[in-house]
Amino acid sequence: MENLNFIDPLLHGITPNPPSKLSVKNLVLAGVGSLLVGAVLKKAGQNKTAAVVGSLALPLLASACYKQISKNHKAKKEITDSSGIEYNH
C-alpha cells in the first residue's frame, strides 16, 4: 500500500514542535522589568546602559502580545475546524 503519512501526521505519531518555554506572563514581566530597570539606571546617571536595557522592553512586550493573540486565534480555530476525518459511530 502507499505511504499515506501526508494525510494526517498526528495519526502516524508525528508531533509538532513544542511551543516556547516562555509564557506570556513571563514575557510581560520581563518587559515591565526592563522598563523599570532602565528608568532606575537613567536616574542614576547611566544613560547609555539605561537606553540599552530600556530598548529591550518593546520587543518583549510585542512578543507577549503576539503570543497571546496567536494562542487565542489557535483556540478559536480548533473549535471550528476538523481534521477532515469524520468518525461515524
Side-chain angles (χ1 to χ4, degrees):
M1 198 155 161
E2 298 176 25
N3 186 3
L4 300 176
N5 287 341
F6 64 91
I7 291 177
D8 195 354
L10 295 177
L11 291 176
H12 300 284
I14 300 170
T15 57
N17 294 333
S20 173
K21 301 277 187 217
L22 294 174
S23 67
V24 174
K25 182 179 177 182
N26 289 344
L27 288 171
V28 169
L29 290 176
V32 171
S34 176
L35 280 175
L36 291 175
V37 169
V40 169
L41 285 170
K42 187 165 184 169
K43 285 286 187 183
Q46 301 290 328
N47 290 333
K48 287 184 181 180
T49 308
V52 170
V53 172
S55 68
L56 296 175
L58 186 62
L60 288 169
L61 292 172
S63 297
C65 290
Y66 175 77
K67 194 168 193 175
Q68 182 67 32
I69 291 169
S70 174
K71 186 168 61 170
N72 288 344
H73 178 70
K74 185 176 179 184
K76 286 180 184 177
K77 186 176 179 182
E78 286 178 355
I79 291 171
T80 58
D81 287 350
S82 69
S83 65
I85 300 173
E86 299 297 328
Y87 298 100
N88 295 328
H89 293 272

